[in-house]
Amino acid sequence: MAEKAAALAAGPLSVELVHKGYDGPVVSIPKLGLGVYQVPPKDALQATALALKIGYRHIDSAALYRNEQAVGRAVRESGIPRDQIFVTTKVWNSDQGYQNTLRAFDRSLNELGLGYVDLYLVHSPMPAQRRLETWKAMEEVLKSGKAKAIGVSNYGVHHLQELFANCNIRPSVNQIQLHPFGAHKELVNFCENEGIVLEAYSPLTQGRRLNDRTLVQIAKEYNKSPAQILIRWCLQKNFVVLPKSVTPQRILENSQVFDFNISEANMAKLDALDEGWYCGWDPTLDR
């Protein structure tokens, strides 16, 4: 396991985040992270601790998940220097607005107990009437140094265009649901052209499409699981990918995706699966 951890931690596994309008220090984000959405605190503590032991260096949490305290404890107790672990959290819809966002950030920082966060995200573009003032607070959080980077989640092209017309500092990240069955091609192209890094949540389709015939056939060809193929697809698209699991074997398996490449022909087969399908609500389409 130690060899796997070293390989996972040492490879070309990160991408630089850029904030147009801000000349702060360069921030690198690991391209593989552990998602902890809807994971109870006890399980989040155990999953985060194991992931860090295996070699993950990126944990994605949020105020909504109610497990920031557990994530922060696992990071502090890991024995790994703080500057080697990338921690993300997010401001939820009910905490949006300028002052509310500043207060929400302080609460998250206190829950995590880490001194700073590496990335702070606006969890969604809702409610519409507050998102611009929320972003002004996000800019202040970035300039304070208590967050090394800021970004958004679930933003569509129209949300980003509105933000660009009303901000001083642009987001470095847009975290959206991404997998071959729902590839968000127009939004992905827009973000890439604007220098915004894409993060893929629910890359494993919440398990709902793992039995797809094409996906299973490609997985067999590489002697990998369908989940590993989905993660690798994201990596080869240059997305940051955030698979979620609390099962030790799956946490390990999800990290074993750097010893193969999907061929161009098979990537094309995976791309052809796109049908605009998503797990649940797609906030990028909201007003």
Side-chain angles (χ1 to χ4, degrees), residues 143-169:
K143 289 186 284 187
S144 76
K146 294 179 182 179
K148 303 299 182 184
I150 55 173
V152 296
S153 183
N154 296 303
Y155 271 48
V157 171
H158 58 296
H159 301 131
L160 291 167
Q161 289 172 330
E162 175 196 68
L163 182 55
F164 293 170
N166 292 278
C167 69
N168 295 314
I169 303 170

mmCIF file of all heavy atoms in Angstrom, residues 143-169:
data_model
loop_
_atom_site.group_PDB
_atom_site.id
_atom_site.type_symbol
_atom_site.label_atom_id
_atom_site.label_comp_id
_atom_site.label_asym_id
_atom_site.label_seq_id
_atom_site.Cartn_x
_atom_site.Cartn_y
_atom_site.Cartn_z
ATOM 1 N N LYS A 143 -8.758 37.408 -1.138
ATOM 2 C CA LYS A 143 -7.744 38.429 -0.841
ATOM 3 C C LYS A 143 -7.253 38.356 0.595
ATOM 4 O O LYS A 143 -6.133 38.773 0.896
ATOM 5 C CB LYS A 143 -8.304 39.823 -1.159
ATOM 6 C CG LYS A 143 -8.451 40.064 -2.660
ATOM 7 C CD LYS A 143 -8.876 41.480 -2.991
ATOM 8 C CE LYS A 143 -10.331 41.738 -2.720
ATOM 9 N NZ LYS A 143 -10.779 43.069 -3.209
ATOM 10 N N SER A 144 -8.076 37.780 1.484
ATOM 11 C CA SER A 144 -7.658 37.640 2.889
ATOM 12 C C SER A 144 -6.581 36.576 3.066
ATOM 13 O O SER A 144 -5.907 36.543 4.103
ATOM 14 C CB SER A 144 -8.872 37.262 3.756
ATOM 15 O OG SER A 144 -9.212 35.885 3.575
ATOM 16 N N GLY A 145 -6.446 35.682 2.087
ATOM 17 C CA GLY A 145 -5.484 34.587 2.196
ATOM 18 C C GLY A 145 -6.011 33.380 2.938
ATOM 19 O O GLY A 145 -5.339 32.350 3.008
ATOM 20 N N LYS A 146 -7.229 33.471 3.457
ATOM 21 C CA LYS A 146 -7.792 32.331 4.191
ATOM 22 C C LYS A 146 -8.336 31.248 3.260
ATOM 23 O O LYS A 146 -8.606 30.137 3.706
ATOM 24 C CB LYS A 146 -8.892 32.827 5.140
ATOM 25 C CG LYS A 146 -8.358 33.712 6.257
ATOM 26 C CD LYS A 146 -9.487 34.204 7.154
ATOM 27 C CE LYS A 146 -8.957 35.118 8.245
ATOM 28 N NZ LYS A 146 -10.062 35.629 9.115
ATOM 29 N N ALA A 147 -8.517 31.594 1.994
ATOM 30 C CA ALA A 147 -8.779 30.614 0.941
ATOM 31 C C ALA A 147 -7.748 30.866 -0.146
ATOM 32 O O ALA A 147 -7.552 32.013 -0.568
ATOM 33 C CB ALA A 147 -10.188 30.743 0.384
ATOM 34 N N LYS A 148 -7.087 29.816 -0.594
ATOM 35 C CA LYS A 148 -6.035 29.966 -1.594
ATOM 36 C C LYS A 148 -6.613 30.141 -2.995
ATOM 37 O O LYS A 148 -5.946 30.655 -3.889
ATOM 38 C CB LYS A 148 -5.106 28.754 -1.562
ATOM 39 C CG LYS A 148 -4.473 28.487 -0.207
ATOM 40 C CD LYS A 148 -3.621 29.642 0.262
ATOM 41 C CE LYS A 148 -2.946 29.340 1.603
ATOM 42 N NZ LYS A 148 -2.183 30.498 2.116
ATOM 43 N N ALA A 149 -7.852 29.669 -3.182
ATOM 44 C CA ALA A 149 -8.513 29.785 -4.473
ATOM 45 C C ALA A 149 -10.015 29.829 -4.247
ATOM 46 O O ALA A 149 -10.516 29.344 -3.230
ATOM 47 C CB ALA A 149 -8.143 28.614 -5.386
ATOM 48 N N ILE A 150 -10.745 30.407 -5.205
ATOM 49 C CA ILE A 150 -12.197 30.463 -5.131
ATOM 50 C C ILE A 150 -12.787 30.053 -6.481
ATOM 51 O O ILE A 150 -12.147 30.168 -7.522
ATOM 52 C CB ILE A 150 -12.721 31.868 -4.748
ATOM 53 C CG1 ILE A 150 -12.178 32.941 -5.702
ATOM 54 C CG2 ILE A 150 -12.377 32.188 -3.302
ATOM 55 C CD1 ILE A 150 -12.779 34.325 -5.486
ATOM 56 N N GLY A 151 -14.015 29.565 -6.421
ATOM 57 C CA GLY A 151 -14.671 29.147 -7.653
ATOM 58 C C GLY A 151 -16.154 28.966 -7.432
ATOM 59 O O GLY A 151 -16.715 29.395 -6.412
ATOM 60 N N VAL A 152 -16.781 28.316 -8.388
ATOM 61 C CA VAL A 152 -18.225 28.105 -8.352
ATOM 62 C C VAL A 152 -18.525 26.637 -8.599
ATOM 63 O O VAL A 152 -17.668 25.862 -9.009
ATOM 64 C CB VAL A 152 -18.951 28.992 -9.391
ATOM 65 C CG1 VAL A 152 -18.775 30.460 -9.062
ATOM 66 C CG2 VAL A 152 -18.459 28.695 -10.815
ATOM 67 N N SER A 153 -19.774 26.274 -8.376
ATOM 68 C CA SER A 153 -20.237 24.921 -8.637
ATOM 69 C C SER A 153 -21.636 24.995 -9.237
ATOM 70 O O SER A 153 -22.438 25.855 -8.846
ATOM 71 C CB SER A 153 -20.265 24.109 -7.331
ATOM 72 O OG SER A 153 -20.641 22.772 -7.555
ATOM 73 N N ASN A 154 -21.893 24.141 -10.189
ATOM 74 C CA ASN A 154 -23.210 24.055 -10.825
ATOM 75 C C ASN A 154 -23.580 25.298 -11.628
ATOM 76 O O ASN A 154 -24.761 25.573 -11.838
ATOM 77 C CB ASN A 154 -24.292 23.773 -9.773
ATOM 78 C CG ASN A 154 -24.111 22.421 -9.111
ATOM 79 O OD1 ASN A 154 -24.068 21.395 -9.780
ATOM 80 N ND2 ASN A 154 -23.971 22.430 -7.788
ATOM 81 N N TYR A 155 -22.583 26.044 -12.089
ATOM 82 C CA TYR A 155 -22.841 27.231 -12.900
ATOM 83 C C TYR A 155 -22.884 26.860 -14.375
ATOM 84 O O TYR A 155 -21.984 26.176 -14.876
ATOM 85 C CB TYR A 155 -21.753 28.291 -12.686
ATOM 86 C CG TYR A 155 -22.020 29.255 -11.559
ATOM 87 C CD1 TYR A 155 -22.414 28.807 -10.303
ATOM 88 C CD2 TYR A 155 -21.862 30.633 -11.734
ATOM 89 C CE1 TYR A 155 -22.656 29.696 -9.261
ATOM 90 C CE2 TYR A 155 -22.100 31.532 -10.700
ATOM 91 C CZ TYR A 155 -22.505 31.052 -9.463
ATOM 92 O OH TYR A 155 -22.733 31.929 -8.437
ATOM 93 N N GLY A 156 -23.939 27.341 -15.081
ATOM 94 C CA GLY A 156 -24.018 27.197 -16.518
ATOM 95 C C GLY A 156 -23.337 28.355 -17.221
ATOM 96 O O GLY A 156 -22.835 29.292 -16.581
ATOM 97 N N VAL A 157 -23.319 28.319 -18.550
ATOM 98 C CA VAL A 157 -22.673 29.372 -19.325
ATOM 99 C C VAL A 157 -23.274 30.729 -18.997
ATOM 100 O O VAL A 157 -22.555 31.716 -18.791
ATOM 101 C CB VAL A 157 -22.788 29.075 -20.838
ATOM 102 C CG1 VAL A 157 -22.308 30.271 -21.662
ATOM 103 C CG2 VAL A 157 -21.989 27.832 -21.210
ATOM 104 N N HIS A 158 -24.607 30.819 -18.933
ATOM 105 C CA HIS A 158 -25.251 32.109 -18.668
ATOM 106 C C HIS A 158 -24.926 32.634 -17.275
ATOM 107 O O HIS A 158 -24.783 33.849 -17.082
ATOM 108 C CB HIS A 158 -26.770 32.013 -18.875
ATOM 109 C CG HIS A 158 -27.452 30.989 -18.042
ATOM 110 N ND1 HIS A 158 -27.207 29.640 -18.155
ATOM 111 C CD2 HIS A 158 -28.411 31.115 -17.064
ATOM 112 C CE1 HIS A 158 -27.965 28.978 -17.301
ATOM 113 N NE2 HIS A 158 -28.697 29.840 -16.628
ATOM 114 N N HIS A 159 -24.774 31.737 -16.301
ATOM 115 C CA HIS A 159 -24.379 32.178 -14.959
ATOM 116 C C HIS A 159 -22.960 32.762 -14.985
ATOM 117 O O HIS A 159 -22.692 33.783 -14.343
ATOM 118 C CB HIS A 159 -24.403 30.997 -13.978
ATOM 119 C CG HIS A 159 -25.724 30.334 -13.841
ATOM 120 N ND1 HIS A 159 -25.896 28.979 -13.929
ATOM 121 C CD2 HIS A 159 -26.966 30.849 -13.616
ATOM 122 C CE1 HIS A 159 -27.165 28.677 -13.754
ATOM 123 N NE2 HIS A 159 -27.841 29.794 -13.571
ATOM 124 N N LEU A 160 -22.075 32.105 -15.698
ATOM 125 C CA LEU A 160 -20.689 32.571 -15.772
ATOM 126 C C LEU A 160 -20.594 33.891 -16.528
ATOM 127 O O LEU A 160 -19.849 34.797 -16.123
ATOM 128 C CB LEU A 160 -19.809 31.505 -16.425
ATOM 129 C CG LEU A 160 -19.600 30.240 -15.589
ATOM 130 C CD1 LEU A 160 -18.987 29.123 -16.437
ATOM 131 C CD2 LEU A 160 -18.703 30.513 -14.375
ATOM 132 N N GLN A 161 -21.337 34.019 -17.602
ATOM 133 C CA GLN A 161 -21.317 35.279 -18.349
ATOM 134 C C GLN A 161 -21.811 36.432 -17.491
ATOM 135 O O GLN A 161 -21.240 37.534 -17.530
ATOM 136 C CB GLN A 161 -22.171 35.151 -19.618
ATOM 137 C CG GLN A 161 -21.546 34.248 -20.674
ATOM 138 C CD GLN A 161 -22.467 33.972 -21.835
ATOM 139 O OE1 GLN A 161 -23.698 33.943 -21.684
ATOM 140 N NE2 GLN A 161 -21.908 33.746 -23.012
ATOM 141 N N GLU A 162 -22.853 36.210 -16.722
ATOM 142 C CA GLU A 162 -23.348 37.229 -15.797
ATOM 143 C C GLU A 162 -22.271 37.596 -14.781
ATOM 144 O O GLU A 162 -22.035 38.778 -14.490
ATOM 145 C CB GLU A 162 -24.584 36.718 -15.066
ATOM 146 C CG GLU A 162 -25.113 37.663 -13.989
ATOM 147 C CD GLU A 162 -26.081 36.977 -13.050
ATOM 148 O OE1 GLU A 162 -25.647 36.093 -12.264
ATOM 149 O OE2 GLU A 162 -27.278 37.333 -13.090
ATOM 150 N N LEU A 163 -21.587 36.577 -14.245
ATOM 151 C CA LEU A 163 -20.544 36.822 -13.256
ATOM 152 C C LEU A 163 -19.384 37.607 -13.854
ATOM 153 O O LEU A 163 -18.887 38.569 -13.250
ATOM 154 C CB LEU A 163 -20.058 35.483 -12.692
ATOM 155 C CG LEU A 163 -18.999 35.547 -11.597
ATOM 156 C CD1 LEU A 163 -19.455 36.422 -10.433
ATOM 157 C CD2 LEU A 163 -18.643 34.147 -11.115
ATOM 158 N N PHE A 164 -18.940 37.229 -15.049
ATOM 159 C CA PHE A 164 -17.821 37.922 -15.697
ATOM 160 C C PHE A 164 -18.108 39.414 -15.880
ATOM 161 O O PHE A 164 -17.200 40.244 -15.786
ATOM 162 C CB PHE A 164 -17.530 37.316 -17.070
ATOM 163 C CG PHE A 164 -17.004 35.902 -17.046
ATOM 164 C CD1 PHE A 164 -16.910 35.179 -18.223
ATOM 165 C CD2 PHE A 164 -16.617 35.291 -15.857
ATOM 166 C CE1 PHE A 164 -16.436 33.876 -18.222
ATOM 167 C CE2 PHE A 164 -16.142 33.984 -15.849
ATOM 168 C CZ PHE A 164 -16.054 33.283 -17.032
ATOM 169 N N ALA A 165 -19.374 39.748 -16.135
ATOM 170 C CA ALA A 165 -19.747 41.145 -16.363
ATOM 171 C C ALA A 165 -19.846 41.949 -15.078
ATOM 172 O O ALA A 165 -19.984 43.176 -15.123
ATOM 173 C CB ALA A 165 -21.082 41.205 -17.109
ATOM 174 N N ASN A 166 -19.760 41.267 -13.926
ATOM 175 C CA ASN A 166 -20.001 41.949 -12.650
ATOM 176 C C ASN A 166 -18.952 41.631 -11.576
ATOM 177 O O ASN A 166 -19.226 41.836 -10.391
ATOM 178 C CB ASN A 166 -21.383 41.564 -12.116
ATOM 179 C CG ASN A 166 -22.515 42.115 -12.951
ATOM 180 O OD1 ASN A 166 -22.913 43.267 -12.807
ATOM 181 N ND2 ASN A 166 -23.031 41.294 -13.870
ATOM 182 N N CYS A 167 -17.790 41.140 -11.963
ATOM 183 C CA CYS A 167 -16.798 40.780 -10.945
ATOM 184 C C CYS A 167 -15.458 41.416 -11.251
ATOM 185 O O CYS A 167 -15.189 41.861 -12.378
ATOM 186 C CB CYS A 167 -16.642 39.258 -10.860
ATOM 187 S SG CYS A 167 -15.851 38.494 -12.292
ATOM 188 N N ASN A 168 -14.617 41.470 -10.237
ATOM 189 C CA ASN A 168 -13.232 41.918 -10.406
ATOM 190 C C ASN A 168 -12.278 40.739 -10.563
ATOM 191 O O ASN A 168 -11.267 40.831 -11.245
ATOM 192 C CB ASN A 168 -12.808 42.766 -9.200
ATOM 193 C CG ASN A 168 -13.590 44.054 -9.098
ATOM 194 O OD1 ASN A 168 -13.769 44.763 -10.092
ATOM 195 N ND2 ASN A 168 -14.087 44.365 -7.904
ATOM 196 N N ILE A 169 -12.610 39.633 -9.911
ATOM 197 C CA ILE A 169 -11.794 38.421 -9.960
ATOM 198 C C ILE A 169 -12.679 37.290 -10.473
ATOM 199 O O ILE A 169 -13.762 37.066 -9.948
ATOM 200 C CB ILE A 169 -11.235 38.059 -8.568
ATOM 201 C CG1 ILE A 169 -10.421 39.218 -7.994
ATOM 202 C CG2 ILE A 169 -10.392 36.787 -8.634
ATOM 203 C CD1 ILE A 169 -10.039 39.025 -6.527
#
